[in-house]
Amino acid sequence: MPSHQEARQVVAQAVAQVLGKAPTLAQVQAVQAVCYLETKYGTAVPPAGVGSNNWGNYHWVEGSKNGRATGYYDGADATSDGKGYAQKFRTYATPVDGVADVAGHLNGSGALAAAIDPGTVWAVATAMRKGRYYGDQRTPDEPQIERYGGALESIVREIDRVCADGGKGLSLARPASAGNALLWLALAGGASWMLVQSTKGGGRW
C-alpha cells in the first residue's frame, strides 16, 4: 500500500487536474481521506482488482461514461442488507486517473467547496451525503453522516500527522450534531449540491 506521503503526491496532482488550478490543503486532505477510506489507496480490492487503480471503488456501469476508466474487472458487492451480487468495477490506466474520478465526484457534489467554506470534515461528509456518495438512501441522513464523517475524521487526523500538515487543512470541529451540518452547510452556502445522478458505487460520477 502506498504511504500517506506517496498517496499525497498522486492526490494533489489529480485534484489540480480536476480543478484546473492548485488545490488547497483542505481539498487535498478531503480527497485523500476518501481514497483511503474506500480502498486504502486502491489496495483493499480482490485479486482481480489488483492494479486497477480504482481508488474510489467505483462500479463499471454498462452504457455509462464511467469517468476516466479504460475498462473493468469482475468482482462482487453487497446491498445494504448484506445480500451479495456480481459487479464489475472500473479499471484505470494510472492512479492519477482513478483519483481524478474521486475528485471530480466530490467537486460535483460540492464537497471540495465545502472543504474551503466552512472547511470542516463534517461539511465535506454532509456534502457527500447530499451528493448520494455513500449510505443507503432510504435511511435518515444524520446517522449516515455521523458514521462516514467519524471515519473521515479519524483518517484526516492520521494523514495530518503523518504528512506533517500541522493542522492547517480540514478542521475537525464538530457541529452540535453531525446531522445539523446539513443546515449549517446550507446556510454557509458552501456547496451547490449539483451532481450527476448517482447511487452507491454504481452511479458515482
Side-chain angles (χ1 to χ4, degrees), residues 30-94:
V31 175
Q32 185 171 353
V34 170
C35 289
Y36 185 81
L37 176 59
E38 293 290 338
T39 64
K40 287 186 168 54
Y41 304 139
T43 63
V45 295
V50 174
S52 65
N53 297 313
N54 188 346
W55 287 29
N57 203 32
Y58 286 113
H59 291 177
W60 171 273
V61 181
E62 296 292 345
S64 296
K65 293 182 179 180
N66 290 296
R68 294 166 175 78
T70 56
Y72 62 84
Y73 71 90
D74 292 312
D77 209 339
T79 61
S80 58
D81 57 7
K83 184 178 181 181
Y85 60 92
Q87 178 61 55
K88 293 180 172 65
F89 289 83
R90 299 178 191 178
T91 59
Y92 298 87
T94 68

Side-chain angles (χ1 to χ4, degrees), residues 14 19 45 74 148 152:
L19 295 178
V45 295
D74 292 312
Y148 203 88
L152 287 182

Side-chain angles (χ1 to χ4, degrees), residues 177-188:
S177 71
N180 285 345
L182 290 166
L183 175 60
W184 176 36
L185 185 56
L187 292 174

Side-chain angles (χ1 to χ4, degrees), residues 9 13 19 49 77 89 99 109 130 142 149 153 173 178 193 204:
Q9 303 306 311
Q13 183 178 342
L19 295 178
D77 209 339
F89 289 83
V99 177
S109 71
K130 294 295 288 185
E142 185 163 353
E153 181 181 49
W193 311 131
R204 289 181 184 172

